[in-house]
Amino acid sequence: MWHFRAIPLLATLALGCRLPAQSGAVTDLQQALVGSWVGTLEYRDYSEPATSTKRVKLPTWLGIELAGTDLRFRYVYDDGPAKTVTETSLIHIDPAAARYEVIGLKGKIDDGYTIEGLAQLRQGRGTLTLTGKGTENDAPVEVRMRIRIGRNILEMTRETGAAGTQLTFRHAYTFVRSAPPAA
């Protein structure tokens, strides 16, 4: 069985860069993300040594919805014959501090990242880079996530590595809207 703790990269982008979180208004970024998406998760095979380049692809569905001033990401992974895995994440974005936080089940921040590129987004679209620290195989790692948001495509790539080492591919999502957007 594979074990993958999805870091909802796009959720990082959830709250807009133009309006304060407490405004309650839907921002350009939220509008760009909210909806139903379908695609794949490609990840470095966790059963292989860390130096392996073997990859696995899983069909993946993602629903993104507003949850107050946050976003809720609901992932569904097709993990083999008659087996699906689901995961839900709540994301809080603080545009003023350029921070992205994954909120855990007990309301505690599980992961936090710095966001670059918010000011360059146009109509909620563009590329963001998130950096921070994480854990992989019970060891601390540096994390960099790149997110490209287009009209009908979301691409999220996570790279990791021990402090002071080169970051390497860990996983990537590629999604398209499950239905065409309104004109």
Side-chain angles (χ1 to χ4, degrees):
M1 178 178 133
W2 69 280
H3 174 72
F4 179 75
R5 182 170 182 265
I7 301 294
L9 305 179
L10 291 179
T12 302
L13 319 174
L15 296 178
C17 51
R18 296 183 189 168
L19 300 174
Q22 66 272 18
S23 73
V26 176
T27 66
D28 287 348
L29 183 53
Q30 288 171 313
Q31 288 176 336
L33 293 173
V34 167
S36 296
W37 301 87
V38 62
T40 60
L41 162 64
E42 180 178 5
Y43 63 93
R44 196 172 69 220
D45 191 341
Y46 293 87
S47 65
E48 298 287 321
T51 56
S52 172
T53 58
K54 182 179 177 184
R55 295 184 181 184
V56 176
K57 280 189 178 182
L58 296 178
T60 305
W61 294 261
L62 172 61
I64 303 174
E65 63 187 22
L66 293 170
T69 57
D70 299 327
L71 286 181
R72 182 170 290 115
F73 279 50
R74 291 193 171 128
Y75 293 88
V76 177
Y77 305 96
D78 183 352
D79 194 23
K83 181 180 177 191
T84 57
V85 178
T86 61
E87 180 176 357
T88 300
S89 299
L90 187 64
I91 306 303
H92 175 74
I93 304 300
D94 181 345
R99 292 288 300 166
Y100 152 88
E101 297 169 338
V102 180
I103 309 299
L105 294 175
K106 297 181 181 180
K108 178 182 168 275
I109 298 171
D110 286 344
D111 294 299
Y113 302 94
T114 300
I115 306 168
E116 293 179 24
L118 286 171
Q120 288 75 36
L121 295 180
R122 297 296 175 254
Q123 297 179 342
R125 299 178 187 132
T127 301
L128 298 174
T129 301
L130 290 71
T131 55
K133 299 187 183 304
T135 303
E136 190 172 282
N137 299 326
D138 298 322
V141 292
E142 300 291 321
V143 177
R144 176 176 55 220
M145 295 182 278
R146 291 194 176 109
I147 299 112
R148 185 173 75 89
I149 308 157
R151 180 172 183 251
N152 294 310
I153 190 165
L154 297 174
E155 295 175 328
M156 306 177 282
T157 302
R158 177 181 169 111
E159 299 171 303
T160 62
T165 66
Q166 181 176 342
L167 301 181
T168 59
F169 175 89
R170 191 59 178 150
H171 67 256
Y173 290 96
T174 302
F175 290 110
V176 295
R177 289 198 182 275
S178 60

